[in-house]
Amino acid sequence: MNLKAERGAATRDRVLAIATRLFAERGYDDTSIEAVLQESGLSRGALYHHYAGKDALFEAVLEATESAVGGKLLEAVRGISDPVAALRAGVLAWISLAGDPVIKRIVLIDAPSVMGWERWRAMEERYSFGMLKGALEATGAVPAEFLDLHAHMLLAAVNESALLVARGGDHDTAVAAVEEFLRRVLTAAPESEP
Amino acid sequence: MNLKAERGAATRDRVLAIATRLFAERGYDDTSIEAVLQESGLSRGALYHHYAGKDALFEAVLEATESAVGGKLLEAVRGISDPVAALRAGVLAWISLAGDPVIKRIVLIDAPSVMGWERWRAMEERYSFGMLKGALEATGAVPAEFLDLHAHMLLAAVNESALLVARGGDHDTAVAAVEEFLRRVLTAAPESEP
DNA sequence: TCGTTTACAGACCGACTGTCGGTCTATGAA
DNA sequence: TTCATAGACCGACAGTCGGTCTGTAAACGA
């Protein structure tokens, strides 16, 4: 079980790369399985042998993309010991990464609607969200009972600014705004209500 | 030009109501025009006479939904003069509204992918985002150069917690977390960098 | 050597979206 | 009252697409 397994894996990788490009360029709906077949030179039967369907193919693409992003983020924060500095570095790295149309379109725009919000969220949990939550916890700046929700909100806020940058907003302004936003979220506000 | 125009408008409304329900229940992809035709008793030709296509139908549904939400939000903040209190009231009302599956699925999940992020954003600008940005500006708590970006981030954060509540998270905890988050975002953080 | 497993091929099916020629009726001017 | 027009509505049809099914060849394990 060697030559065959290798050939299968190679085929899967080839299809995955092509599908990633097409999904990113045209979006999920406007990417036909037909196009993937044509570009890969594969037959219908072969593709459906490796991937259960279009959804499954998309999910595999998403998983691979998230995994790659996770690796790059870990690299970005490597060696930074101060939790706040690490959090900031990770967030800024993520904003730059999300400028990549592949990530923008696949991870941030199509994924929730294609996979369903629940499953998308579950996958995010294992990658970017998980990392951000851990980093946020390490700073100790957020009360434990709000940690999960604040991590969600912060990630959503950062994703949003990443999308704005990707759309053509000014990168430096966005970075400054995000840094200020982050500072505020990490700073306990004075109680004001009676 | 009265009876005919009225009949046309009535038909459009009927189709819109049915499409809204189906899109919310099954999502955009899994809702067939066929189903809309069947439930409305209309013919293909008639539907395509009123709406240019499935996308256009979805867009009309989204527009109507956003408009309705906008009205409810205005109602929620009516009579509140303190800007911060108004902002909080609006945000909390929005979280409750987003518990509605119609809003959750159509506005928050499917819209960006179906209409394209750019056009979705442009529409949000005219409704929820526009209101939030105005409210945020009124508080005077955010520097002008960050107003737009912080409004985006704040809305994304609030949307996220609304989705979490809709998924089954605890409403009260989420509200408390959002209030704390909002307090922090409205509080200027001390400068710390050299 | 021989049965089994696996990668791959491609014809085929059903469902769906969108188009197109045509019908019918309300409307408003002659 | 008559009649031409515009707009609501109809339904057959074409084209596309996702997914299934049967078949083939080659690698694998015994």
Side-chain angles (χ1 to χ4, degrees), chain A residues 81-115:
Chain A
S81 55
D82 177 44
V84 173
L87 181 57
R88 186 170 56 216
V91 162
L92 297 186
W94 170 233
I95 290 182
S96 292
L97 285 177
D100 182 351
V102 172
I103 294 169
K104 179 191 175 193
R105 179 84 214 211
I106 295 177
V107 179
L108 298 178
I109 298 182
D110 279 342
S113 120
V114 173
M115 297 184 50

Short mmCIF file of all heavy atoms in Angstrom, two decimals, chain A residues 81-115:
data_model
loop_
_atom_site.label_atom_id
_atom_site.label_comp_id
_atom_site.label_asym_id
_atom_site.label_seq_id
_atom_site.Cartn_x
_atom_site.Cartn_y
_atom_site.Cartn_z
N SER A 81 7.20 37.09 24.77
CA SER A 81 6.79 36.54 26.06
C SER A 81 5.68 37.38 26.71
O SER A 81 4.83 36.84 27.40
CB SER A 81 7.99 36.43 27.00
OG SER A 81 8.62 37.69 27.11
N ASP A 82 5.75 38.68 26.50
CA ASP A 82 4.70 39.51 27.09
C ASP A 82 3.35 39.21 26.44
O ASP A 82 3.20 39.33 25.22
CB ASP A 82 5.05 40.99 26.89
CG ASP A 82 3.94 41.89 27.42
OD1 ASP A 82 3.44 41.60 28.53
OD2 ASP A 82 3.55 42.85 26.72
N PRO A 83 2.36 38.79 27.23
CA PRO A 83 1.07 38.36 26.67
C PRO A 83 0.39 39.44 25.83
O PRO A 83 -0.16 39.16 24.77
CB PRO A 83 0.23 38.04 27.90
CG PRO A 83 1.20 37.81 28.99
CD PRO A 83 2.39 38.67 28.69
N VAL A 84 0.44 40.67 26.32
CA VAL A 84 -0.22 41.75 25.58
C VAL A 84 0.47 41.98 24.25
O VAL A 84 -0.18 42.14 23.21
CB VAL A 84 -0.24 43.05 26.41
CG1 VAL A 84 -0.76 44.20 25.57
CG2 VAL A 84 -1.10 42.87 27.66
N ALA A 85 1.78 41.98 24.27
CA ALA A 85 2.54 42.17 23.03
C ALA A 85 2.28 41.03 22.06
O ALA A 85 2.14 41.24 20.85
CB ALA A 85 4.04 42.29 23.33
N ALA A 86 2.20 39.82 22.59
CA ALA A 86 1.94 38.65 21.74
C ALA A 86 0.55 38.76 21.11
O ALA A 86 0.38 38.50 19.91
CB ALA A 86 2.04 37.38 22.57
N LEU A 87 -0.40 39.16 21.91
CA LEU A 87 -1.77 39.31 21.40
C LEU A 87 -1.79 40.35 20.27
O LEU A 87 -2.37 40.11 19.19
CB LEU A 87 -2.70 39.74 22.53
CG LEU A 87 -4.17 39.93 22.17
CD1 LEU A 87 -4.74 38.66 21.56
CD2 LEU A 87 -4.99 40.34 23.39
N ARG A 88 -1.11 41.46 20.52
CA ARG A 88 -1.10 42.50 19.49
C ARG A 88 -0.43 42.00 18.22
O ARG A 88 -0.91 42.22 17.11
CB ARG A 88 -0.39 43.75 20.00
CG ARG A 88 -0.50 44.88 18.99
CD ARG A 88 -0.02 46.21 19.57
NE ARG A 88 1.34 46.10 20.06
CZ ARG A 88 1.79 46.73 21.14
NH1 ARG A 88 0.98 47.49 21.85
NH2 ARG A 88 3.06 46.59 21.51
N ALA A 89 0.70 41.33 18.38
CA ALA A 89 1.42 40.83 17.21
C ALA A 89 0.57 39.85 16.42
O ALA A 89 0.52 39.89 15.19
CB ALA A 89 2.72 40.16 17.66
N GLY A 90 -0.12 38.97 17.13
CA GLY A 90 -0.97 37.99 16.46
C GLY A 90 -2.10 38.65 15.69
O GLY A 90 -2.37 38.31 14.54
N VAL A 91 -2.71 39.62 16.33
CA VAL A 91 -3.83 40.32 15.70
C VAL A 91 -3.37 41.05 14.44
O VAL A 91 -4.02 40.99 13.39
CB VAL A 91 -4.47 41.31 16.70
CG1 VAL A 91 -5.31 42.34 15.98
CG2 VAL A 91 -5.31 40.56 17.72
N LEU A 92 -2.23 41.73 14.54
CA LEU A 92 -1.74 42.46 13.37
C LEU A 92 -1.35 41.52 12.25
O LEU A 92 -1.59 41.79 11.07
CB LEU A 92 -0.56 43.36 13.77
CG LEU A 92 -0.94 44.43 14.79
CD1 LEU A 92 0.23 45.38 15.04
CD2 LEU A 92 -2.16 45.21 14.35
N ALA A 93 -0.75 40.39 12.62
CA ALA A 93 -0.38 39.41 11.60
C ALA A 93 -1.64 38.89 10.89
O ALA A 93 -1.67 38.72 9.68
CB ALA A 93 0.38 38.25 12.24
N TRP A 94 -2.65 38.65 11.67
CA TRP A 94 -3.92 38.15 11.12
C TRP A 94 -4.53 39.16 10.13
O TRP A 94 -5.04 38.81 9.08
CB TRP A 94 -4.87 37.83 12.26
CG TRP A 94 -6.28 37.53 11.86
CD1 TRP A 94 -7.39 38.12 12.34
CD2 TRP A 94 -6.73 36.56 10.91
NE1 TRP A 94 -8.51 37.59 11.75
CE2 TRP A 94 -8.13 36.64 10.87
CE3 TRP A 94 -6.08 35.65 10.08
CZ2 TRP A 94 -8.90 35.85 10.03
CZ3 TRP A 94 -6.85 34.85 9.23
CH2 TRP A 94 -8.24 34.94 9.22
N ILE A 95 -4.44 40.43 10.46
CA ILE A 95 -4.97 41.45 9.55
C ILE A 95 -4.23 41.42 8.22
O ILE A 95 -4.83 41.53 7.15
CB ILE A 95 -4.87 42.84 10.20
CG1 ILE A 95 -5.86 42.94 11.35
CG2 ILE A 95 -5.15 43.93 9.17
CD1 ILE A 95 -5.88 44.28 12.01
N SER A 96 -2.92 41.26 8.30
CA SER A 96 -2.16 41.21 7.05
C SER A 96 -2.51 39.96 6.25
O SER A 96 -2.70 40.02 5.03
CB SER A 96 -0.65 41.21 7.36
OG SER A 96 -0.28 42.46 7.89
N LEU A 97 -2.63 38.85 6.94
CA LEU A 97 -2.95 37.59 6.25
C LEU A 97 -4.31 37.67 5.58
O LEU A 97 -4.49 37.18 4.46
CB LEU A 97 -2.95 36.43 7.26
CG LEU A 97 -1.58 35.95 7.71
CD1 LEU A 97 -1.74 34.86 8.76
CD2 LEU A 97 -0.79 35.43 6.53
N ALA A 98 -5.25 38.28 6.26
CA ALA A 98 -6.60 38.31 5.72
C ALA A 98 -6.70 39.20 4.49
O ALA A 98 -7.73 39.25 3.83
CB ALA A 98 -7.59 38.79 6.78
N GLY A 99 -5.62 39.91 4.17
CA GLY A 99 -5.61 40.65 2.92
C GLY A 99 -5.56 39.71 1.73
O GLY A 99 -6.02 40.05 0.64
N ASP A 100 -5.08 38.52 1.95
CA ASP A 100 -5.05 37.49 0.90
C ASP A 100 -6.47 37.13 0.51
O ASP A 100 -7.27 36.73 1.34
CB ASP A 100 -4.32 36.27 1.47
CG ASP A 100 -4.20 35.16 0.43
OD1 ASP A 100 -4.84 35.27 -0.64
OD2 ASP A 100 -3.48 34.18 0.71
N PRO A 101 -6.79 37.27 -0.77
CA PRO A 101 -8.16 36.98 -1.23
C PRO A 101 -8.62 35.57 -0.89
O PRO A 101 -9.81 35.33 -0.65
CB PRO A 101 -8.08 37.14 -2.74
CG PRO A 101 -6.78 37.77 -3.05
CD PRO A 101 -5.91 37.72 -1.84
N VAL A 102 -7.68 34.65 -0.87
CA VAL A 102 -8.04 33.27 -0.53
C VAL A 102 -8.68 33.23 0.85
O VAL A 102 -9.76 32.66 1.06
CB VAL A 102 -6.80 32.35 -0.54
CG1 VAL A 102 -7.15 30.98 0.01
CG2 VAL A 102 -6.25 32.24 -1.95
N ILE A 103 -8.00 33.86 1.80
CA ILE A 103 -8.50 33.84 3.16
C ILE A 103 -9.76 34.67 3.28
O ILE A 103 -10.75 34.26 3.90
CB ILE A 103 -7.41 34.35 4.12
CG1 ILE A 103 -6.26 33.35 4.12
CG2 ILE A 103 -7.95 34.55 5.51
CD1 ILE A 103 -5.02 33.85 4.79
N LYS A 104 -9.73 35.83 2.65
CA LYS A 104 -10.89 36.73 2.74
C LYS A 104 -12.15 36.02 2.27
O LYS A 104 -13.14 35.89 2.99
CB LYS A 104 -10.63 37.96 1.87
CG LYS A 104 -11.77 38.94 1.84
CD LYS A 104 -11.56 39.99 0.76
CE LYS A 104 -12.77 40.92 0.66
NZ LYS A 104 -12.76 41.75 -0.55
N ARG A 105 -12.08 35.52 1.05
CA ARG A 105 -13.28 34.97 0.44
C ARG A 105 -13.71 33.64 1.07
O ARG A 105 -14.86 33.42 1.41
CB ARG A 105 -13.03 34.77 -1.07
CG ARG A 105 -14.16 34.18 -1.84
CD ARG A 105 -15.13 35.26 -2.27
NE ARG A 105 -16.48 34.77 -2.29
CZ ARG A 105 -17.43 35.20 -3.13
NH1 ARG A 105 -17.15 36.14 -3.99
NH2 ARG A 105 -18.63 34.71 -3.06
N ILE A 106 -12.74 32.74 1.22
CA ILE A 106 -13.07 31.40 1.69
C ILE A 106 -13.40 31.37 3.18
O ILE A 106 -14.45 30.89 3.59
CB ILE A 106 -11.91 30.42 1.39
CG1 ILE A 106 -11.77 30.28 -0.13
CG2 ILE A 106 -12.15 29.08 2.04
CD1 ILE A 106 -10.62 29.41 -0.56
N VAL A 107 -12.48 31.90 3.98
CA VAL A 107 -12.65 31.77 5.43
C VAL A 107 -13.69 32.73 5.98
O VAL A 107 -14.51 32.37 6.81
CB VAL A 107 -11.30 32.01 6.15
CG1 VAL A 107 -11.49 31.90 7.65
CG2 VAL A 107 -10.26 31.03 5.66
N LEU A 108 -13.66 33.97 5.50
CA LEU A 108 -14.48 34.98 6.15
C LEU A 108 -15.85 35.20 5.51
O LEU A 108 -16.79 35.59 6.17
CB LEU A 108 -13.72 36.32 6.19
CG LEU A 108 -12.42 36.28 7.00
CD1 LEU A 108 -11.71 37.62 6.95
CD2 LEU A 108 -12.70 35.89 8.44
N ILE A 109 -15.94 34.98 4.22
CA ILE A 109 -17.21 35.30 3.56
C ILE A 109 -18.05 34.06 3.26
O ILE A 109 -19.20 33.97 3.68
CB ILE A 109 -16.95 36.08 2.26
CG1 ILE A 109 -16.26 37.41 2.60
CG2 ILE A 109 -18.25 36.34 1.52
CD1 ILE A 109 -16.00 38.29 1.41
N ASP A 110 -17.47 33.10 2.56
CA ASP A 110 -18.28 31.96 2.13
C ASP A 110 -18.50 30.89 3.21
O ASP A 110 -19.56 30.28 3.27
CB ASP A 110 -17.66 31.30 0.89
CG ASP A 110 -18.01 32.07 -0.38
OD1 ASP A 110 -18.97 32.84 -0.34
OD2 ASP A 110 -17.32 31.88 -1.40
N ALA A 111 -17.48 30.67 4.01
CA ALA A 111 -17.54 29.55 4.95
C ALA A 111 -18.81 29.51 5.82
O ALA A 111 -19.45 28.45 5.91
CB ALA A 111 -16.29 29.52 5.83
N PRO A 112 -19.19 30.61 6.44
CA PRO A 112 -20.35 30.52 7.33
C PRO A 112 -21.61 30.07 6.58
O PRO A 112 -22.39 29.28 7.12
CB PRO A 112 -20.52 31.94 7.84
CG PRO A 112 -19.19 32.58 7.68
CD PRO A 112 -18.59 31.95 6.46
N SER A 113 -21.78 30.54 5.38
CA SER A 113 -23.00 30.18 4.67
C SER A 113 -22.92 28.79 4.04
O SER A 113 -23.92 28.07 3.98
CB SER A 113 -23.32 31.26 3.62
OG SER A 113 -23.35 30.75 2.33
N VAL A 114 -21.75 28.38 3.59
CA VAL A 114 -21.63 27.07 2.95
C VAL A 114 -21.67 25.94 3.97
O VAL A 114 -22.40 24.96 3.81
CB VAL A 114 -20.33 26.97 2.13
CG1 VAL A 114 -20.12 25.56 1.62
CG2 VAL A 114 -20.36 27.96 0.97
N MET A 115 -20.87 26.07 5.03
CA MET A 115 -20.78 24.98 6.00
C MET A 115 -21.86 25.07 7.06
O MET A 115 -22.06 24.11 7.82
CB MET A 115 -19.43 25.02 6.70
CG MET A 115 -18.25 24.81 5.78
SD MET A 115 -16.74 24.76 6.73
CE MET A 115 -17.14 23.58 8.01
#
